[in-house]
Amino acid sequence: MLVDSKYSKIFESYLLSDSKYNEIYNHAVEILAHKNLVSNEVSSNLEFYIEMSKNNFVKFMRAKYSIISSNFDYHLYSDVYVAYENKFKAVQKKMKFEKITYSGVEYYKRNCKNKKKGDFKKHSFIKEKTSLSNCLNFLIKYPNSELFINNQSNDNTLSEPKKLFYENIKNQIDKFGFARLSSLVQLKRSTVLNKYSNPVEFKSLTFRGRSRLTTNIISYNKNYNSVINNFINISWLERGSKLSIPVKYSKKYHGLLKKYHKNTDTEYRIKFLKNQKISVIICTDGQRVIPDNKTNFCGIDVNVKHNLFCLSDGTTFDYNRKLVNDLAKELVKIDELKKDKNYKIGKQRQNMVDTIKNKIKKSNEELCSEVCKYLNSKGLDHIVMENLDNSFGKNFVDDKNNFDINFNRVLSALNLSSLKDIMKHVAMKYGISVSLVQSAYTSKNCPVCGCIDDGNRPDQETFCCVECGHKDNADHNSAINILNRVLLTVLKQRLLKLNKIDDGTFEPKDLKISEVKEILLSLRSNLYKKVEILHTVLV
Ligand SMILES: [Zn+2]
């Protein structure tokens, strides 16, 4: 379904006078300095700000400083808050007590590639909440709450669970003494806070602002003899003051001017370019695909060895092998020549490589179109794929079978991490949404029993679970795992978040690879009960 949405468009300044450039530049320097001042304040009082919401943070800072024009302060303080948001979350997460017990050694349960049944696998630990850890977790949040707890545990008007909760805290305090628990909590607090006490340093001069003028944000130059055809008008430092920036406007790229005029309250971003130029980025209305209520997902695995895309229904789409082989050959030649340290790649050869790369990009776009047409024909409207980054393809490093083509070289040249963006772009035309999931463990996870093990991949072609024996084509298995991350509610809630633009698609939460593993493994105990559900996914 297509709905109205926002897109940003870039306007480049054109013949901007020195004095205007300096005025904007000086303002940016001022904003940057203030950002760093606020950042220092936050990092030295981390505890004070840690639980504030963004809106309260902005309100608080406005009142504290009140020196920045109201056209800029909201974005300035929001930018600082966002830079600290992850720190706040990390500190809150670290300030938790858990009981960790060593639970012994795990052994391999069956023979696999490098290990035999009964070989040492790993040490394992159990993390659990106890009465003591619950008490400490409360005290670390509310350190001076002894009196409060006393009152609460005697308060008969409280609900039963609340009463039990405070009674437990009181019992623990009676057992270990408040001073002792307090010092433990303090130690943890200061260790964690110390670790996160470095201020975030802002370096970029880019700044954001909002414009609330009665004149249109973009206007034609009424002086028709001038070479400047348009101006962007933004609210400037004083209330009601206006700054006009001469820009180039192209109907083909920017679209009709009237769509910028719908709002009298416009957000924009100013960036500094080379040669005294700036760019102004403003929002415009456009359309975006929103998945319908009844969404039909399709997992897609991206790989290079056997095909480019493998869908969770088993269909595969191959890339243009001839082009990729041509590229591989050229790159091998260049690598040979580069053994001579004085060798510099010639223009002709570079052009040749660029041409092949462009052709590959084009053919990949066509391939994405083919996938979308296929999905349309099957009534599938929501793609789930991995959030591939530049480390994609490192699985091939150790594969001796690839010696005929230098796969790593080709992979980096192909820039496959951009495939997700190409797919998003193409899919939109077909009314298909694209969600992204973490790429960690998609190839090593068993969708039937949840086991994660290097041994699950005896070779590039095969998936064979070392624990339950589930066997599948390796690429298809990955596609199923990718799909499961949105189909299984537990995984979806813990691994993914809704995209900020609120179009119903998911993106990966910012998690460490060990956290992803923990979440995947946490499903294991439940999985045995869910086998039926999974089997319906598998067929
Ligand atoms: Zn298994």
Side-chain angles (χ1 to χ4, degrees):
M1 181 178 50
L2 282 170
V3 294
D4 292 336
S5 184
K6 300 248 176 238
Y7 282 89
S8 47
K9 288 281 178 198
I10 303 167
F11 290 85
E12 227 172 74
S13 69
Y14 182 58
L15 300 176
L16 184 65
S17 70
D18 284 356
S19 65
K20 246 181 210 175
Y21 178 86
N22 289 338
E23 193 181 347
I24 300 167
Y25 188 87
N26 290 340
H27 181 56
V29 170
E30 213 172 288
I31 286 190
L32 180 62
H34 191 62
K35 265 187 196 170
N36 281 318
L37 179 105
V38 177
S39 173
N40 278 321
E41 155 66 18
V42 176
S43 67
S44 53
N45 285 308
L46 211 53
E47 277 193 89
F48 180 75
Y49 295 104
I50 211 159
E51 303 230 355
M52 267 190 201
S53 69
K54 185 158 116 188
N55 278 338
N56 285 343
F57 183 86
V58 172
K59 251 192 230 164
F60 181 86
M61 289 302 175
R62 262 183 187 153
K64 187 175 168 75
Y65 295 104
S66 68
I67 50 165
I68 299 290
S69 148
S70 66
N71 294 325
F72 302 97
D73 62 355
Y74 176 79
H75 290 114
L76 194 165
Y77 297 129
S78 301
D79 286 350
V80 177
Y81 183 87
V82 168
Y84 275 90
E85 215 175 1
N86 283 337
K87 244 185 205 212
F88 291 160
K89 277 188 199 147
V91 171
Q92 281 168 333
K93 215 172 152 191
K94 287 269 157 73
M95 283 212 199
K96 268 201 182 125
F97 291 87
E98 267 173 333
K99 187 187 172 197
I100 300 175
T101 14
Y102 179 62
S103 66
V105 177
E106 260 182 50
Y107 300 99
Y108 280 90
K109 290 179 184 154
R110 61 172 61 227
N111 293 332
C112 54
K113 201 178 170 192
N114 303 315
K115 305 280 179 191
K116 280 208 267 318
K117 185 181 170 185
D119 279 356
F120 169 81
K121 196 171 170 189
K122 61 169 189 192
H123 293 289
S124 42
F125 299 88
I126 298 171
K127 288 181 185 170
E128 54 189 336
K129 285 182 184 163
T130 62
S131 319
L132 180 59
S133 73
N134 285 342
C135 167
L136 290 169
N137 285 332
F138 183 83
L139 290 181
I140 201 163
K141 261 190 149 174
Y142 311 100
N144 303 311
S145 54
E146 198 180 7
L147 195 68
F148 173 77
I149 294 159
N150 265 331
N151 291 337
Q152 293 297 95
S153 56
N154 292 325
D155 187 348
N156 288 323
T157 60
L158 285 179
S159 69
E160 199 54 28
K162 269 195 177 161
K163 218 171 156 242
L164 281 173
F165 176 77
Y166 289 112
E167 263 173 23
N168 167 54
I169 297 176
K170 180 144 193 328
N171 288 340
Q172 299 299 318
I173 291 175
D174 291 345
K175 194 169 164 190
F176 298 100
F178 188 75
R180 199 169 152 204
L181 295 181
S182 245
S183 68
L184 202 61
V185 161
Q186 275 313 323
L187 184 68
K188 181 124 185 160
R189 274 189 98 81
S190 52
T191 324
V192 174
L193 288 172
N194 245 331
K195 202 178 154 194
Y196 290 92
S197 65
N198 286 341
V200 174
E201 197 196 339
F202 292 90
K203 289 177 182 158
S204 166
L205 282 171
T206 302
F207 67 90
R208 299 193 288 154
R210 66 189 282 208
S211 191
R212 285 163 285 187
L213 290 171
T214 44
T215 40
N216 285 331
I217 183 109
I218 308 170
S219 60
Y220 283 112
N221 189 1
K222 293 200 179 91
N223 176 1
Y224 292 108
N225 296 324
S226 167
V227 282
I228 296 164
N229 63 12
N230 284 77
F231 287 102
I232 283 190
N233 311 301
I234 52 170
S235 310
W236 200 231
L237 308 181
E238 308 296 324
R239 196 155 238 247
S241 68
K242 181 176 98 170
L243 184 80
S244 295
I245 302 165
V247 291
K248 274 185 191 164
Y249 157 74
S250 129
K251 193 170 159 192
K252 197 175 162 208
Y253 167 74
H254 295 107
L256 291 173
L257 278 189
K258 67 175 182 204
K259 65 180 188 178
Y260 297 91
H261 298 160
K262 279 185 189 158
N263 302 316
T264 47
D265 189 343
T266 317
E267 281 184 30
Y268 64 88
R269 196 147 37 102
I270 288 187
K271 244 175 137 172
F272 293 86
L273 312 171
K274 281 183 210 153
N275 306 325
Q276 299 249 20
K277 271 191 189 173
I278 62 165
S279 64
V280 186
I281 299 135
I282 50 182
C283 271
T284 157
D285 295 321
Q287 288 191 311
R288 198 181 295 280
V289 185
I290 295 272
D292 297 326
N293 280 340
K294 210 187 155 320
T295 304
N296 295 310
F297 290 105
C298 176
I300 299 185
D301 174 61
V302 179
N303 61 92
V304 205
K305 187 80 194 292
H306 315 112
N307 46 65
L308 189 62
F309 299 121
C310 177
L311 277 47
S312 47
D313 71 356
T315 319
T316 58
F317 292 83
D318 204 358
Y319 57 94
N320 188 327
R321 266 167 206 275
K322 191 189 167 296
L323 286 175
V324 175
N325 281 334
D326 289 350
L327 179 66
K329 272 183 216 156
E330 265 322 295
L331 293 175
V332 168
K333 266 188 223 161
I334 291 170
D335 284 347
E336 268 312 304
L337 290 166
K338 272 191 180 160
K339 281 179 184 163
D340 172 9
K341 273 185 191 144
N342 297 320
Y343 173 75
K344 274 214 175 85
I345 185 162
K347 232 187 186 161
Q348 210 179 351
R349 181 151 262 142
Q350 186 60 53
N351 281 343
M352 174 122 104
V353 170
D354 290 346
T355 311
I356 305 177
K357 278 189 192 169
N358 273 335
K359 277 186 186 167
I360 292 177
K361 190 172 170 242
K362 256 238 151 78
S363 95
N364 284 346
E365 279 168 4
E366 279 161 18
L367 202 60
C368 288
S369 281
E370 261 179 61
V371 171
C372 291
K373 278 180 204 157
Y374 172 80
L375 294 178
N376 270 345
S377 78
K378 296 281 168 188
L380 300 166
D381 54 14
H382 197 142
I383 292 171
V384 189
M385 59 196 291
E386 289 162 290
N387 187 21
L388 301 169
D389 55 22
N390 293 324
S391 68
F392 174 68
K394 63 178 185 289
N395 287 347
F396 293 98
V397 174
D398 299 327
D399 191 347
K400 304 282 186 297
N401 300 327
N402 286 333
F403 68 91
D404 50 333
I405 300 177
N406 189 337
F407 257 90
N408 290 313
R409 194 79 174 76
V410 178
L411 277 169
S412 63
L414 281 177
N415 188 16
L416 284 185
S417 60
S418 69
L419 260 183
K420 56 177 189 285
D421 302 316
I422 298 178
M423 186 62 102
K424 268 187 187 171
H425 188 78
V426 173
M428 194 158 73
K429 293 181 198 155
Y430 292 88
I432 294 171
S433 340
V434 179
S435 281
L436 299 176
V437 302
Q438 289 94 346
S439 58
Y441 304 110
T442 51
S443 65
K444 291 170 186 169
N445 197 357
C446 172
V448 175
C449 73
C451 160
I452 295 177
D453 198 297
D454 289 345
N456 287 350
R457 288 288 300 274
D459 54 55
Q460 288 285 352
E461 283 75 28
T462 328
F463 178 91
C464 183
C465 177
V466 293
E467 293 204 351
C468 76
H470 170 68
K471 207 170 172 181
D472 195 356
N473 164 282
D475 303 330
H476 180 243
N477 188 68
S478 300
I480 293 289
N481 279 328
I482 291 165
L483 178 64
N484 276 351
R485 292 192 186 175
V486 295
L487 283 187
L488 298 175
T489 317
V490 195
L491 292 186
K492 183 171 81 185
Q493 282 172 348
R494 296 187 62 191
L495 293 173
L496 310 177
K497 57 185 177 190
L498 275 170
N499 207 315
K500 271 204 193 102
I501 49 174
D502 199 21
D503 61 353
T505 63
F506 298 95
E507 58 183 25
K509 279 187 192 167
D510 200 6
L511 298 170
K512 278 191 227 143
I513 194 159
S514 59
E515 291 172 311
V516 174
K517 189 171 187 182
E518 203 176 297
I519 291 165
L520 291 171
L521 288 176
S522 75
L523 195 73
R524 281 197 82 173
S525 47
N526 300 329
L527 257 172
Y528 291 107
K529 295 170 214 153
K530 286 195 178 148
V531 168
E532 306 98 272
I533 305 173
L534 277 156
H535 276 307
T536 59
V537 172
L538 286 169
V539 289

